[in-house]
Amino acid sequence: MVAIIDLKLVAYGNTQQNRDGSFTCQHGAGECETDAMELCTQYKLSGDISSISSGDTSLAAWPFILCMEEADGSPAMGQSCYEKNMNATALPWSTISACVADEYEAVQTAAMKATPNHEYVPWVLVDGELLENTNMLEKAICDAYTGVPPASCGVRSNGALPEVEPCFA
């Protein structure tokens, strides 16, 4: 499936920028810290903060992001998830940690600008069209693909992924 998708992940969700320029995440400060770790990983993999909006490092950062999501977004798992999943990169955890400490506002601002208006999260677009039932993501990708589909497009009988409940602001 990876061969036929152009993935763009933006860890921002229902975060809001406050009048003083600070950010408040829907699920608290821990979510903001975890988002910053994921955003810094995407940014530092390329060295260009525009990677947050372009998504060009989303796939490379995916193993770390997935580990963090499986850890329920616990910031305490950041270093462990990073070192377990990103050791093939030349980028040490200390670079990510320093980014979170020193460039937090910059990465959150880049994520805010890269996040479209939305009613709930996850907000999933396939070929620019809203996918209301995100549990059907694989099927939607396979259906939208116009080339010879990869074998993974035939693996699931209904194309459904595990149930994901939307989270409203």
Side-chain angles (χ1 to χ4, degrees), residues 103-119:
E103 299 181 78
Y104 176 86
E105 288 83 11
V107 296
Q108 287 284 22
T109 299
M112 177 181 66
K113 291 177 180 176
T115 301
N117 290 333
H118 58 278
E119 298 171 22

Side-chain angles (χ1 to χ4, degrees), residues 44-55:
K44 295 299 181 177
L45 280 169
S46 71
D48 187 347
I49 200 163
S50 70
S51 289
I52 293 170
S53 63
S54 72

Side-chain angles (χ1 to χ4, degrees), residues 2 5-6 10 21 27 30 32 36 38 59 65 94 100 110 112 122 126 161:
V2 170
I5 63 172
D6 193 9
V10 181
H27 302 291
C32 281
E38 294 174 6
L59 279 174
I65 294 168
S94 60
V100 172
M112 177 181 66
V126 176
L161 295 173

Side-chain angles (χ1 to χ4, degrees), residues 51-106:
S51 289
I52 293 170
S53 63
S54 72
D56 63 359
T57 57
S58 291
L59 279 174
W62 176 247
F64 170 65
I65 294 168
L66 178 61
C67 182
M68 291 302 292
E69 294 303 314
E70 289 174 342
D72 294 325
S74 171
M77 294 299 295
Q79 183 171 359
S80 172
C81 279
Y82 189 87
E83 290 175 348
K84 184 179 353 173
N85 292 284
M86 303 300 289
N87 60 2
T89 72
L91 198 61
W93 169 251
S94 60
T95 300
I96 304 307
S97 181
C99 173
V100 172
D102 302 333
E103 299 181 78
Y104 176 86
E105 288 83 11

